[in-house]
Amino acid sequence: MTGTFPNVSISTERLVLRPFEESDIEAYAEMMNDELVTAWTSVPRPYTEADARHWITELAPAERTEGRGIVFAVDEFLTQRLVGIVHLQNTDWRVRSAEIAYVIAPWARGEGYASEAALATAQWLFQNQKFERLELRTTADNTASQQVAQKIGCISEGVLRNAWIARSRSGDGTWADVRTDVIVWSLLPEDLADTSGFTSHSDWN
């Protein structure tokens, strides 16, 4: 059983979650070159505008059309500046579950944007798409991402030992792979800590 998420935008008090556009390429490439993004994700280093274009024009749209998930660009409502990305992936349509991942631009951190965007996505997934489980995985040392999980009401389910390869930067500026544990979190409809984040959604044309 396979489905497809609708091509929608989601609005919150401060944010708009929408499909990526080619005009996002420069800002997205800049965001993905941040050192924390390099450390905790598997994106290429350096992350070029060609990488960003491939993601925005091919890979991200395919996530939705092929039924694997959906990718949202996250904009600050007032400035329309790219705040980050929310990615629903590894979707299981029979179980009605998906995994959420997110990245926030360096300039926008500390404002609660990650939790606001993740909560709005969870509410849309549960209320509009009738899903029953959202999963989140954080590396053992990524405390900022763990705080987001806790803030939106996720429950820690356990640790996957040695399950991820993070990257660490040495004194000479080179990056080295480092194996690390992964904490698995889950959110169910009844776990939602707040119902004020997701305000509306609309079809994206």
Side-chain angles (χ1 to χ4, degrees):
M1 178 180 176
T2 302
T4 304
F5 288 119
N7 205 27
V8 299
S9 64
I10 301 171
S11 298
T12 73
E13 182 179 346
R14 300 184 298 169
L15 303 172
V16 176
L17 286 69
R18 57 165 178 81
F20 270 96
E21 301 174 337
E22 287 195 48
S23 58
D24 298 313
I25 288 173
E26 183 178 352
Y28 184 69
E30 180 181 353
M31 178 177 74
M32 299 306 283
N33 271 308
D34 175 64
E35 288 197 2
L36 288 180
V37 177
T38 299
W40 300 125
T41 74
S42 59
V43 298
R45 176 76 187 187
Y47 195 90
T48 67
E49 289 195 8
D51 293 323
R53 180 178 298 277
H54 184 49
W55 171 254
I56 288 171
T57 63
E58 297 181 44
L59 299 181
E63 285 283 293
R64 190 186 71 82
T65 58
E66 295 174 9
R68 297 194 305 271
I70 189 169
V71 178
F72 292 109
V74 183
D75 279 352
E76 196 174 45
F77 178 76
L78 290 178
T79 65
Q80 297 187 345
R81 190 175 179 186
L82 184 67
V83 164
I85 176 176
V86 171
H87 185 185
L88 290 179
Q89 58 192 357
N90 299 326
T91 304
D92 187 322
W93 289 94
R94 180 175 179 273
V95 178
R96 308 297 287 185
S97 70
E99 180 182 339
I100 190 171
Y102 42 78
V103 172
I104 299 296
W107 67 268
R109 291 173 189 152
E111 300 294 331
Y113 286 149
S115 55
E116 185 172 329
L119 180 61
T121 304
Q123 291 170 333
W124 171 78
L125 188 70
F126 293 151
Q127 297 170 14
N128 185 269
Q129 298 299 302
K130 308 304 180 186
F131 269 54
E132 296 294 337
R133 174 181 169 89
L134 184 62
E135 188 171 296
L136 170 62
R137 298 185 177 206
T138 64
T139 51
D141 293 330
N142 191 349
T143 55
S145 190
Q146 293 165 28
Q147 289 169 356
V148 171
Q150 293 170 333
K151 189 172 182 180
I152 67 173
C154 289
I155 305 299
S156 174
E157 292 186 331
V159 176
L160 303 177
R161 297 184 301 161
N162 240 17
W164 186 251
I165 298 177
R167 288 178 282 201
S168 177
R169 192 169 189 176
S170 62
D172 63 3
T174 59
W175 290 89
D177 290 344
V178 180
R179 295 205 71 94
T180 184
D181 296 344
V182 170
I183 303 173
V184 179
W185 308 78
S186 68
L187 188 70
L188 306 183
E190 59 265 30
D191 297 330
L192 284 178
D194 188 358
T195 57
S196 61
F198 164 48
T199 57
S200 65
H201 79 275
S202 59
D203 292 335
W204 188 262
N205 297 315

